[in-house]
Amino acid sequence: MPAHSVLLAATALLLGIPTVLTLSNGVARLPVLGYNTWNAFACNIDQDLVLTQAKLMKSLGLQAVGYTHVHLDDCWADKNRSASGTLVPDQTRFSRGMNNLTGELHAMGFNAGIYGDSGWFTCAGYPGSFEHEAQDAQTFQDWGFDYLKYDNCNIPFDDIIREGMVGKYQRMSDALTQLAQTSRKTPIIFSLCQWGWEQVWLWGASVGHSWRTTGDISPNWDALASIINFNSFITQATGFYGRNDMDMVRLGNGGLTYDEAKTHFTAWALMKSPLLIGTNLSAIDDATLGILKNTELLAINQDSVQGSSVSPFRWGVNPDWTSDSSSPAQYWSGPSENGTVFMLINTLAEPSDMFFNLTESPWIRAGRQYSVRDLWTHTNNGTAVRNFTARAVPEHGVVALLLKDAGDEPTGLTPCAVWDNCASQNGTAVQG
Ligand code: GLA
């Protein structure tokens, strides 16, 4: 543990404050928003393609609403290292070199991200960084990259690695920390692409800034439902400086209805996942662009006061705490700087009304009423007293609401909205 973390932990212990282990080296306090090449282009990438997508991020107004990163994924490298063992970019596809690319991206106001692997080879068979961690960290920094996605393919045999998953990722984490200290430069953001193995949500925060919790996303409802279900049980791992990464935003590639696409974006944004666009922006449609540019949801994803994810308070169709990869929890809430956020997901294949009592959410005060802001229609929808019903939520659709305290509720209502252990002071009226 670095000296400042030890001090922090010791102070917290003395003051009785619970500590969350974080890689609190000052970067990636909030989720990273940007672009990644993998979903739309896989290995068919080159420098011009990356710059074209970056320019589109600007001209389509995506950078202006907060998407400030552009990341290369796999297949940027030459298959062989140089004689001195350094990584080399593909000579044809990245002929101008990586400094040129990151220079152009920085000049456009973007941070630049690169991809590597903790094993012998990347998932597509390019050189991995195992036993080259310090050298490759230095190379990435020399090339001007600000962010590293670090994959999990081609893990060395046990008698070579003699480490578990934590140790394997710690090697690059240490290399990046060391590099930041010796170079006195901003630390490179470290994103673990590890698909949720070995309960990464329990230790990821002490090693990196985000960690994939599930396998690669596909553009269909089943994949979304399964990722949302899995992550619904580990929302507490997400906070400032470290977060569950639900994988890239897989919009605009077909496979999702408009309502499913909205559900996808809403869940990722409100669960405070990184939001990395994986669409070919040359062919993006207005509806997809509109979803990606929902500034009210982006503001909650980027909330600088409340770092936590929304969490389910009721599963709805299923009994609470049921794990069902085709029918995740339906009723969610969480705190935000400007009020309590609610997310309702209609997991059914038909429209349905969705009802909840306000105080089912731990972030709501009993005896108060709340103004309701709809984060998709961008309208103020009156005042909720005691409960709220969203009417005819479409199949696989979503409702996202921001409830703000609007003072005491009207008088004359029943004593308790939820009759669970409610009692009058003298005990004459007792329920629950
Ligand atoms: C893995 C990762 C993907 C992508 C590919 C590249 O599958 O999970 O996100 O980076 O490797 O080969």
Side-chain angles (χ1 to χ4, degrees):
M1 205 189 268
H4 66 276
S5 303
V6 175
L7 195 65
L8 194 76
T11 314
L13 208 66
L14 282 174
L15 298 174
I17 305 166
T19 41
V20 180
L21 262 189
T22 54
L23 194 59
S24 46
N25 57 7
V27 292
R29 182 168 186 264
L30 299 173
V32 167
L33 266 48
Y35 187 82
N36 175 290
T37 53
W38 182 254
N39 282 338
F41 302 106
C43 282
N44 305 313
I45 53 167
D46 62 38
Q47 54 208 355
D48 294 327
L49 178 141
V50 175
L51 291 174
T52 300
Q53 295 300 313
K55 283 178 192 144
L56 286 162
M57 292 285 285
K58 248 182 141 58
S59 62
L60 295 170
L62 290 162
Q63 185 189 43
V65 296
Y67 296 93
T68 53
H69 279 244
V70 173
H71 297 167
L72 297 178
D73 208 280
D74 207 348
C75 308
W76 57 265
D78 195 283
K79 287 265 163 110
N80 297 304
R81 288 174 178 268
S82 74
S84 58
T86 53
L87 289 165
V88 181
D90 183 285
Q91 313 274 318
T92 314
R93 291 184 290 110
F94 291 90
S95 58
R96 297 192 293 271
M98 289 305 188
N99 287 100
N100 178 281
L101 182 64
T102 60
E104 297 252 15
L105 291 173
H106 289 154
M108 280 190 258
F110 290 109
N111 293 306
I114 195 158
Y115 165 98
D117 192 280
S118 55
W120 295 123
F121 302 99
T122 71
C123 298
Y126 293 85
S129 293
F130 182 68
E131 290 181 339
H132 285 277
E133 286 87 357
Q135 184 179 24
D136 292 354
Q138 182 75 56
T139 302
F140 297 145
Q141 187 182 69
D142 291 347
W143 285 346
F145 285 103
D146 311 286
Y147 172 107
L148 171 64
K149 170 177 173 179
Y150 206 50
D151 220 330
N152 192 33
C153 279
N154 301 298
I155 302 168
F157 292 159
D158 296 13
D159 64 345
I160 294 172
I161 194 160
R162 307 242 186 241
E163 293 276 14
M165 189 59 79
V166 187
K168 181 167 69 85
Y169 273 88
Q170 191 73 50
R171 295 168 67 99
M172 184 53 98
S173 180
D174 290 346
L176 294 173
T177 302
Q178 183 78 38
L179 179 65
Q181 280 163 4
T182 52
S183 69
R184 294 175 186 274
K185 289 192 173 160
T186 307
I188 291 176
I189 297 172
F190 191 36
S191 166
L192 280 55
C193 180
Q194 194 262 0
W195 320 312
W197 289 13
E198 278 82 12
Q199 298 176 288
V200 64
W201 52 93
L202 298 181
W203 52 268
S206 60
V207 178
H209 300 103
S210 62
W211 46 89
R212 281 274 297 279
T213 52
T214 40
D216 290 4
I217 187 170
S218 308
N220 58 61
W221 172 255
D222 289 350
L224 301 185
S226 154
I227 294 174
I228 294 168
N229 173 62
F230 192 90
N231 281 277
S232 71
F233 296 95
I234 53 171
T235 56
Q236 290 160 85
T238 285
F240 291 133
Y241 297 108
R243 62 202 60 263
N244 296 330
D245 174 355
M246 298 163 72
D247 202 6
M248 291 168 275
V249 178
R250 194 96 210 236
L251 295 184
N253 305 306
L256 296 176
T257 66
Y258 180 60
D259 286 307
E260 289 168 348
K262 281 168 63 184
T263 302
H264 176 10
F265 187 74
T266 308
W268 267 237
L270 299 183
M271 293 169 81
K272 306 274 171 88
S273 177
L275 299 174
L276 294 171
I277 299 167
T279 312
N280 178 358
L281 296 177
S282 315
I284 195 167
D285 58 276
D286 287 347
T288 304
L289 198 55
I291 292 174
L292 293 170
K293 288 166 78 171
N294 184 329
T295 50
E296 294 197 77
L297 289 179
L298 289 170
I300 294 169
N301 178 270
Q302 296 290 298
D303 191 326
S304 63
V305 176
Q306 292 285 355
S308 47
S309 163
V310 289
S311 298
F313 60 84
R314 177 154 48 87
W315 266 243
V317 174
N318 281 314
D320 288 350
W321 303 106
T322 302
S323 178
D324 180 343
S325 50
S326 53
S327 184
Q330 295 189 299
Y331 295 87
W332 305 59
S333 75
S336 90
E337 181 183 6
N338 297 312
T340 304
V341 187
F342 284 83
M343 174 170 79
L344 316 177
I345 303 176
N346 180 13
T347 56
L348 302 174
E350 59 190 0
S352 73
D353 291 351
M354 300 187 72
F355 166 94
F356 61 94
N357 286 305
L358 304 190
T359 51
E360 286 185 82
S361 162
W363 314 110
I364 289 288
R365 291 171 62 185
R368 306 285 282 184
Q369 58 187 357
Y370 286 81
S371 67
V372 179
R373 173 81 181 167
D374 186 314
L375 304 176
W376 276 111
T377 59
H378 309 295
T379 51
N380 297 323
N381 290 4
T383 306
V385 179
R386 296 274 170 110
N387 54 50
F388 185 85
T389 303
R391 301 271 171 216
V393 183
E395 163 183 2
H396 299 166
V398 75
V399 172
L401 306 169
L402 186 60
L403 267 65
K404 284 191 204 188
D405 191 310
D408 284 346
E409 65 184 16
T411 52
L413 300 172
T414 55
C416 301
V418 179
W419 284 103
D420 181 25
N421 260 297
C422 239
S424 63
Q425 196 171 3
N426 66 10
T428 51
V430 180
Q431 295 272 346

